Amino acid sequence: MTTVADLKGQTVAFAASGGLDSCTVTKWLTENGVKVVCFTADIAQPDESNFDEIETRMRACGAADYVAIPLHDMIAESGIEVIQFQARYEGAYWNTTGIGRHVIVAGMIPEMKKRGATVLSHGATGRGNDQVRFQLCTNMLAPEVTVYAPWRDREFLKKFPGRSEMIDYCNSYKLPIKASKNAPYSTDANLLGLTHEAGKLEHLTTEPWFVTPGMGVLPKDAPDAPESVSVRFEKGRPVAINGKATTAFQAIQTANTIGGKHAVGIATHLVENRFVGIKSRGVYEAPGMELLGSAYAFLLQLVLDRRGRELFDQLSLFVSKQIYQGYGFDLATHMARGAIAPITNLVTGTIKLKLYKGRAEFEAAEDVPHQMYSEANASMEAIGSFDHADSEGFLRVLQVSARALAANGQVTAPAWAKV
């Protein structure tokens, strides 16, 4: 395991967000004779009103150099793929931070190679998922690069048992940190969403509405009148919102604004199973992902037949876990992309949603050329080509196996049936 002593005199490429961990690690490494070059990914993080201030903070903390990496398109494209897979971890979390770590590493590696840097460092703690994501993504994309994690270095842990000591350390050097000891929780942000955790959110008596939203409003503060919004997809990609042509980045930006206004995808509570084996509580914001993802889900309902739906659901569940655990670049995920491609190519159509007090409900579907739904065949009225009497033969076939189960003692009714 690499320690700070091993790095003395070397150059480290540090993935810097500009937060407390970044400031602390940069200053501490510099004090220990390590040259730190800070790399900050511009992934349209909404909690940074002035992105350029991150460079000022990091240089004040001792960074020998600073590199800003523009990744707006990459984070947007990754978000579209998450939507196409409906990749919500444990059914609720749109994997916004998980995929964000993949994007950061994918953006850092080429910049590191340009500068001959061979050590990548990050400020992720030893209890969370991010350490795994940074490690595995780097190992896969650049196996020759060493990963140094201060939060797994005994020397760092000895000096900084927790956030309180880090804040005292930074204040002693008058470093320009934003964190304070009375902060109610911590937040990680990118274009796709915000992750709130720790602090008072660790108490399950703290309701999710305790957070102050950064990408919208709480349902109680949303407009009292619903708003309709239409999203046009072509081959799985959003190409227009409310009739206006859009790029992937613009689509998520616009959806963030409209969805956030109506509290869609705001303050989603989840007690999740971290990859490291502990449970954690997160409160999430992802208004654009929820809006676009809901519209996409309604198109999938129209396009997929029964067997296609079953396979898609398995792929969705699998990729949700892959992204969450940091395996988004491996062979299995690549195989899943190939498997889902035929489905994605069929997802064309316009979905109209009604947004109201945190909900994005179906309103209408139009121009869906590959839909399996037939109003005539689904009708209970005497129209269409489906003859109710034709089901007699179908049921005769099904009853053979049902009666065979009963005849061979393989049917057990539950207690509540009382048969």
Side-chain angles (χ1 to χ4, degrees), residues 134-167:
F134 277 116
Q135 184 84 36
L136 296 183
C137 289
T138 303
N139 293 159
M140 290 182 194
L141 296 183
E144 73 281 5
V145 170
T146 298
V147 178
Y148 170 65
W151 277 101
R152 301 201 300 272
D153 187 334
R154 291 292 180 188
E155 289 302 310
F156 184 85
L157 293 172
K158 191 187 307 179
K159 189 170 182 66
F160 305 108
R163 287 175 59 85
S164 181
E165 290 79 8
M166 294 169 70
I167 291 171

Side-chain angles (χ1 to χ4, degrees), residues 9-77:
Q10 295 189 45
T11 299
V12 166
F14 184 72
S17 67
L20 175 63
D21 287 7
S22 296
C23 293
T24 304
V25 171
T26 300
K27 182 64 177 177
W28 183 75
L29 285 175
T30 302
E31 273 195 314
N32 281 274
V34 180
K35 181 180 178 182
V36 181
V37 178
C38 289
F39 290 72
T40 300
D42 183 355
I43 45 181
Q45 42 270 63
D47 61 340
E48 287 290 348
S49 56
N50 186 347
F51 184 81
D52 294 337
E53 287 182 359
I54 300 177
E55 177 176 3
T56 302
R57 292 203 295 273
M58 300 321 302
R59 289 190 182 277
C61 294
D65 202 359
Y66 177 86
V67 181
I69 314 172
L71 299 176
H72 282 196
D73 288 340
M74 191 185 292
I75 189 68
E77 289 297 330

Side-chain angles (χ1 to χ4, degrees), residues 6 17 29 50 65 80 105 107 118 120 124 164 195 214 224 228 243 281 311 340 352 382-383 412:
D6 301 323
S17 67
L29 285 175
N50 186 347
D65 202 359
I80 298 303
V105 174
T118 59
L120 185 151
S164 181
T195 298
D224 292 329
S228 294
R281 194 272 184 100
L311 177 58
I340 206 175
K352 195 173 184 180
I383 58 175
T412 304

